[in-house]
């Protein structure tokens, strides 16, 4: 029997930049929200991967629950389901009912204390009639009243989603190494039960009266900030569900510590700069867990050691786990609620996820499971992944695990976005203050084209390099290559792009190392090493192939006057590949970072990064001096940027197809 659908006046707010994940095929996407944001706010979507048999619209709830429990930080939750379907013969009522039923059942599996009054979202898109997010139709239903479904009348798309999420909330982070000594009789190899009991004992410890939680601002190593807060196990609230209105604050508490909210650690004035990354902009709280090893006593006493002699021969197996959890909490949430209802459940869930990933037969082999946090482009919150570090990143088992994650998150399959090197770092070590270059202590300028003036092309479409790069130019690192090293510097910039996008861990080679590579492949004689000979696009392609395994496309033009004719092809390169391009002509080489092209008029401009700059790394000086900027083939004064009597080679590095 179909459900009766009426129209309501509720509003759904969409923060994520896309709702339909890549492939136009039938399936379910889970809609993610937070109790700390306004009701019916969609923060992200995760694709349902585990289904029953070949039926794409019947989720395997136990497997989905295990995955989502591990991936999603506490403070975010499943609030709806979006069904994409190409069988438009089905009635809309039936599809909506399937979506509501799927999310209701998943929540029962995920959340033991699920709120029956929770308003759930059911969304539908008919692939035969539309594939854009504006074609999604939204409906709501209360969990306890599944027979009533209402159509949503208002959809709001937030202009500044990052600001919306992180102005209201913060990150609560905890890192906890755990060592589990497992003693088991000599006459048995079955340690699974003993290991399971040890995990249960650790769970109980989190609410033990002797446990202490030291809560401090993430940057508390600086002086003058708020003092750390201590919470004891006896002060923690029971682990019932979060309040329906997460912004309500209880003021009458037994102690000062218990009455403080997360906002205690943050200043009231918020930086007005644009949000760039969760590492730099999100407010963060650090929680350290300590256990009192002494028995309760009114007087200080020494720790007591207890001796339990074994009645028979026994073996010892020590299992080490490293827990690291991130939680999202409203800044108005009480600290003790953040610990009781977010942090402790998150630690327990991660402990169980670790246990579930370890086969009992492999327990004695000391698996190297470790959590990492990622925040791919267009995602508004971190996701957590458990990686088995005994596998190399290029081994098929690890590659397939990442490919599955790319599919769930709707990420492209031609770039490494979830490798260990891509993980966000929220540790407060000194290394974090030295910049985020992949080379420790690197002081090279990155992404110098950001914020430069427009090209002046009327009605043009701008296509730019994707991701980050470092600017290499003449006389850098005290090495004098003025007059001959521009192509080398362009190559170094290109290789830095591949490093910063984590396609490779190979260091950016020096001029001598570039020359050595060309000698090793037989392109140059040994006398080439240490010389000041120029190299061009072909040599650059050889080096990229040898050092990085990167293939390149080369475009030849007979004259600089023909370069504007290649703008459409160059625009497609930046849209599809996104790598920097080397342009070589005569004795000059440049790095191309983008094009601005009006297809109707043919007017175009080239975003040039000039390696011939010889000054210090002063961004203002570089931009104002035109060393990075838009260049037209012929400027307003009739001056030609590209030489008419020289041929040009353009080297277009191809993005490796990998995850």
């Amino acid at each position: 029997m179909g459900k009766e659908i009426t129209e309501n006046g509720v509003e759904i707010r969409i923060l994520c930049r896309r709702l339909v994940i890549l492939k136009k095929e039938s399936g379910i996407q889970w809609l993610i929200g937070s109790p700390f944001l306004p009701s019916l706010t969609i923060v992200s979507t995760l694709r349902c991967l585990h289904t029953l048999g070949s039926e794409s619209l019947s989720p395997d709830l136990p497997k989905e629950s295990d995955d989502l429990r591990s991936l999603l930080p506490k403070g975010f939750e499943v609030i709806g389901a979006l069904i994409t379907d190409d069988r438009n013969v089905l009635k809309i009522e039936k599809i909506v009912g399937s979506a509501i039923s799927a999310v209701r059942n998943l929540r029962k599996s995920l959340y033991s204390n699920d709120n029956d009054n929770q308003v759930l979202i059911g969304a539908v898109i008919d692939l035969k009639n539309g594939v854009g997010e504006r074609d999604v139709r939204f409906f709501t239903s209360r969990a306890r009243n599944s027979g009533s479904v209402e159509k949503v009348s208002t959809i709001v798309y937030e202009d500044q989603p990052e600001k919306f999420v992180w102005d209201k909330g913060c990150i609560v982070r905890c890192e906890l190494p755990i060592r589990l000594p497992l003693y088991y009789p000599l006459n048995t190899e079955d340690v699974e039960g003993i290991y399971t009991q040890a995990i249960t004992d650790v769970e109980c410890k989190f609410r033990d009266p002797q446990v202490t939680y030291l809560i401090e601002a993430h940057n508390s190593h600086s002086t003058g900030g708020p003092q750390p807060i201590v919470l004891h196990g006896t002060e923690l609230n029971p682990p019932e569900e979060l309040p329906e209105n997460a912004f309500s604050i209880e003021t009458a508490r037994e102690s000062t510590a218990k009455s403080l909210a997360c906002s205690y650690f943050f200043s009231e004035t918020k930086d007005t700069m644009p949000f760039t990354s969760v590492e730099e902009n999100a407010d963060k709280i650090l929680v350290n867990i300590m256990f009192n090893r002494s028995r309760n006593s009114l007087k200080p006493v020494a720790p007591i050691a207890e001796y339990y002699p074994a009645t028979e021969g026994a073996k010892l197996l020590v299992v080490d786990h490293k827990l690291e959890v991130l939680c999202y909490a409203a800044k108005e949430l009480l600290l003790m609620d953040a610990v009781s209802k977010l942090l402790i459940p998150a630690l327990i869930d991660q402990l169980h996820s670790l246990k579930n990933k370890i086969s009992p037969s492999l327990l004695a082999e000391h698996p190297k499971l470790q959590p990492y946090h990622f925040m791919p482009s267009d995602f508004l919150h971190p996701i957590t992944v458990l990686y088995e570090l005994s596998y190399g990143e290029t081994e098929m088992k690890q590659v397939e695990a990442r490919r599955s994650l790319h599919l769930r998150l709707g990420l492209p399959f031609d770039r490494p976005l979830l490798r260990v090197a891509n993980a966000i770092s929220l540790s407060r070590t000194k290394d974090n203050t030295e910049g985020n270059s992949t080379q420790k202590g690197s002081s090279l300028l990155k992404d110098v084209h950001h914020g430069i003036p427009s090209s002046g092309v009327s009605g043009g479409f701008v296509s730019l390099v994707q991701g980050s790069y470092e600017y290499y130019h003449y006389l850098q690192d005290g090495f004098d290559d003025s007059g001959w090293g521009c192509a080398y510097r362009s190559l170094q910039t290109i290789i830095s792009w591949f490093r910063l996008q984590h396609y490779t861990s190979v260091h950016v080679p020096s001029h001598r190392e570039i020359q050595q590579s060309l000698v090793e492949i037989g392109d140059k004689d040994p006398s080439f090493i240490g010389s000041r000979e120029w190299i061009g696009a072909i040599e650059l392609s050889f080096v990229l192939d040898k050092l990085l395994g990167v293939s390149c496309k080369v475009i030849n033009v007979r004259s600089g006057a023909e370069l504007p004719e290649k703008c459409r092809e160059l625009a497609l390169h930046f849209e599809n590949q996104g790598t920097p391009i080397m342009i070589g002509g005569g004795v000059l080489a440049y790095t191309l970072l983008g094009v601005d092209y009006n297809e109707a008029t043919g007017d175009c401009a080239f975003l040039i990064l000039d390696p011939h700059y010889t000054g210090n790394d002063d961004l203002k000086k570089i931009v104002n001096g035109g060393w990075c900027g838009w260049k037209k083939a012929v400027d307003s004064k009739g001056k030609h940027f590209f030489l008419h009597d020289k041929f040009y080679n353009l080297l277009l590095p191809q993005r490796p197809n990998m995850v």
Side-chain angles (χ1 to χ4, degrees):
M1 180 177 178
K3 302 188 187 312
E4 181 183 356
I5 297 179
T6 59
E7 185 159 334
N8 60 21
V10 303
E11 172 183 287
I12 283 182
R13 185 180 301 271
I14 297 177
L15 305 185
C16 51
R17 293 184 175 88
R18 65 177 184 274
L19 282 174
V20 179
I21 295 180
L22 295 181
K23 292 188 177 180
K24 303 172 183 178
E25 58 187 35
S26 297
I28 298 178
Q29 294 173 45
W30 306 117
L31 307 179
I32 309 304
S34 171
F36 304 121
L37 297 174
S39 180
L40 304 180
T41 297
I42 301 173
V43 181
S44 65
T45 66
L46 299 175
R47 185 171 184 163
C48 174
L49 292 188
H50 303 295
T51 57
L52 298 174
S54 59
E55 180 52 64
S56 62
L57 301 183
S58 296
D60 186 329
L61 295 177
K63 290 183 178 180
E64 282 295 294
S65 299
D66 287 345
D67 280 6
L68 297 183
R69 196 177 286 114
S70 173
L71 282 171
L72 277 179
K74 291 294 181 185
F76 293 101
E77 62 183 23
V78 179
I79 62 170
L82 164 63
I83 289 183
T84 55
D85 201 287
D86 57 4
R87 299 170 295 179
N88 55 5
V89 295
L90 291 176
K91 290 185 177 180
I92 188 69
E93 296 92 337
K94 184 175 181 180
I95 304 177
V96 172
S98 297
I100 295 292
S101 177
V103 68
R104 184 188 307 110
N105 292 331
L106 180 68
R107 286 182 62 90
K108 288 179 181 177
S109 179
L110 276 172
Y111 315 121
S112 56
N113 298 315
D114 193 20
N115 182 5
D116 285 341
N117 203 37
Q118 172 79 34
V119 178
L120 305 178
I121 300 173
V124 179
I125 183 169
D126 184 347
L127 295 178
K128 290 187 176 179
N129 295 327
V131 293
E133 63 181 25
R134 305 284 173 169
D135 299 304
V136 179
R137 288 174 282 180
F138 291 94
F139 305 84
T140 61
S141 175
R142 290 199 179 271
R144 65 183 178 187
N145 187 11
S146 58
S148 175
V149 177
E150 298 178 313
K151 185 177 180 181
V152 175
S153 58
T154 306
I155 311 295
V156 176
Y157 292 85
E158 188 63 39
D159 290 333
Q160 295 180 295
E162 294 92 350
K163 180 177 175 62
F164 190 91
V165 171
W166 296 105
D167 275 359
K168 292 177 170 58
C170 63
I171 284 179
V172 180
R173 174 178 174 265
C174 179
E175 185 176 331
L176 180 65
I178 293 178
R179 168 161 286 198
L180 301 175
L182 308 179
Y183 294 90
Y184 59 98
L186 289 173
N187 58 5
T188 179
E189 294 296 327
D190 182 17
V191 295
E192 183 180 5
I194 299 171
Y195 173 60
T196 300
Q197 183 58 49
I199 295 290
T200 302
D201 293 342
V202 172
E203 290 180 33
C204 297
K205 281 284 187 182
F206 289 132
R207 296 186 185 275
D208 191 291
Q210 292 177 262
V211 72
T212 298
Y213 293 88
L214 177 67
I215 311 171
E216 55 186 333
H218 196 263
N219 60 347
S220 60
H221 58 275
S222 60
T223 58
Q227 294 301 303
I229 297 298
V230 174
L231 284 177
H232 299 283
T234 53
E235 297 176 299
L236 297 179
N237 280 335
E240 71 264 8
E241 66 189 32
L242 288 162
E244 184 174 349
N245 180 1
F247 297 103
S248 62
I249 306 174
E250 298 180 43
T251 55
R253 290 291 180 181
E254 298 174 7
S255 69
T256 303
K258 292 178 68 175
S259 67
L260 291 174
C262 296
S263 57
Y264 162 78
F265 291 107
F266 312 128
S267 63
E268 294 182 2
T269 58
K270 185 73 174 175
D271 194 348
T272 57
M273 294 295 289
F275 189 96
T276 55
S277 73
V278 69
E279 296 148 287
E280 298 178 7
N281 296 78
D283 289 316
K284 294 174 281 290
I285 293 173
L286 182 65
V287 180
N288 295 295
I289 302 177
M290 295 169 284
F291 295 97
N292 183 359
R293 298 296 185 183
S294 302
R295 292 192 177 277
N296 292 327
S297 174
L298 295 176
K299 297 180 180 180
V301 295
I304 298 175
E306 297 185 5
Y307 172 59
Y308 298 96
T311 58
E312 56 182 313
K315 289 183 180 180
L316 170 63
L317 173 63
V318 178
V319 179
D320 289 308
H321 287 321
K322 178 188 176 183
L323 305 183
E324 185 178 345
V325 298
L326 304 180
C327 304
Y328 176 74
K331 294 180 181 178
E332 291 83 0
L333 186 70
L334 295 176
L335 288 170
M336 69 172 185
D337 283 340
V339 172
S340 298
K341 300 170 183 178
L342 293 176
L343 187 65
I344 293 176
L347 289 166
I348 292 173
D349 279 353
Q350 191 169 98
L351 198 57
H352 275 273
S353 294
L354 287 167
K355 180 176 77 71
N356 293 340
K357 282 183 173 291
I358 299 175
S359 169
S361 61
L362 299 177
L363 190 59
E365 297 181 11
H366 302 284
K368 299 177 182 178
L369 283 165
Q370 187 166 325
Y372 291 92
H373 311 292
F374 299 90
M375 202 160 175
S377 177
D378 291 344
F379 260 73
L380 301 175
H381 60 77
I383 57 106
T384 301
V385 180
L386 296 175
Y387 279 144
E388 171 57 87
L389 299 184
S390 59
Y391 298 113
E393 286 198 315
T394 58
E395 290 187 52
M396 283 308 299
K397 192 162 185 178
Q398 199 78 305
V399 170
E400 289 306 314
R402 288 198 302 270
R403 191 177 298 278
S404 176
L405 286 166
H406 276 241
L407 182 61
R408 186 180 287 281
L409 302 177
L411 302 175
F413 293 99
D414 64 347
R415 58 204 66 183
L417 301 175
L418 299 177
R419 293 190 173 194
V420 170
N422 298 91
I424 59 176
S425 174
L426 298 176
S427 61
R428 57 182 192 185
T429 61
K430 290 183 180 180
D431 286 343
N432 255 20
T433 64
E434 294 176 353
N436 56 354
S437 169
T438 55
Q439 300 182 47
K440 293 289 184 181
S442 173
S443 59
L444 299 180
L445 292 175
K446 291 202 313 185
D447 308 332
V448 294
H449 69 287
H450 287 177
I452 64 172
S454 61
S455 70
V457 174
S458 177
F461 183 81
V462 177
S463 303
L464 297 175
V465 62
Q466 301 173 24
S468 292
Y469 59 88
E470 291 174 321
Y471 179 27
Y472 284 83
H473 56 79
Y474 278 170
L475 305 184
Q476 232 164 16
D477 303 321
F479 183 75
D480 184 2
D481 58 344
S482 182
W484 62 275
C486 51
Y488 293 84
R489 295 300 187 178
S490 181
L491 176 59
Q492 289 176 327
T493 293
I494 291 171
I495 292 177
S496 78
W497 183 94
F498 283 96
R499 276 184 59 87
L500 290 171
Q501 270 56 245
H502 307 298
Y503 282 102
T504 182
S505 57
V506 172
H507 70 272
V508 175
S510 65
H511 294 55
R512 188 178 186 86
E513 289 170 328
I514 292 170
Q515 293 172 341
Q516 179 73 39
S517 296
L518 292 170
V519 170
E520 288 176 0
I521 65 173
D523 181 67
K524 301 291 183 183
D525 294 328
S527 60
F528 178 64
I529 299 175
S531 71
R532 294 194 167 198
E533 290 187 33
W534 299 327
I535 58 175
I538 303 303
E539 287 91 346
L540 265 63
S541 70
F542 292 159
V543 176
L544 287 170
D545 180 52
K546 174 177 172 53
L547 296 183
L548 277 63
V550 168
S551 62
C552 298
K553 178 180 178 181
V554 177
I555 299 176
N556 308 110
V557 294
R558 292 171 296 180
S559 163
E562 295 181 7
L563 275 171
E565 299 174 12
K566 302 297 181 181
C567 266
R568 177 182 294 145
E569 190 172 351
L570 296 175
L572 286 174
H573 168 84
F574 286 116
E575 294 297 321
N576 297 326
Q577 301 294 328
T579 62
I581 293 173
M582 178 270 199
I583 300 180
V587 297
L588 300 176
Y590 302 100
T591 306
L592 181 65
L593 301 177
V595 293
D596 190 354
Y597 177 55
N598 186 320
E599 192 168 351
T601 65
D603 191 16
C604 64
F606 301 82
L607 182 54
I608 298 292
L609 182 67
D610 195 336
H612 302 92
Y613 174 66
T614 58
N616 57 6
D617 286 349
D618 183 331
L619 181 60
K620 187 175 181 180
K621 183 178 179 181
I622 291 166
V623 173
N624 290 344
W627 298 101
C628 180
W630 290 101
K631 311 290 183 182
K632 288 195 171 186
V634 182
D635 64 19
S636 58
K637 298 179 181 178
K639 183 179 179 181
H640 296 270
F641 182 77
F642 300 110
L643 303 175
H644 279 212
D645 59 345
K646 301 291 182 182
F647 70 87
Y648 281 81
N649 287 329
L650 288 82
L651 183 80
L652 285 63
Q654 303 298 290
R655 186 191 288 266
N657 190 359
M658 62 171 66
V659 295

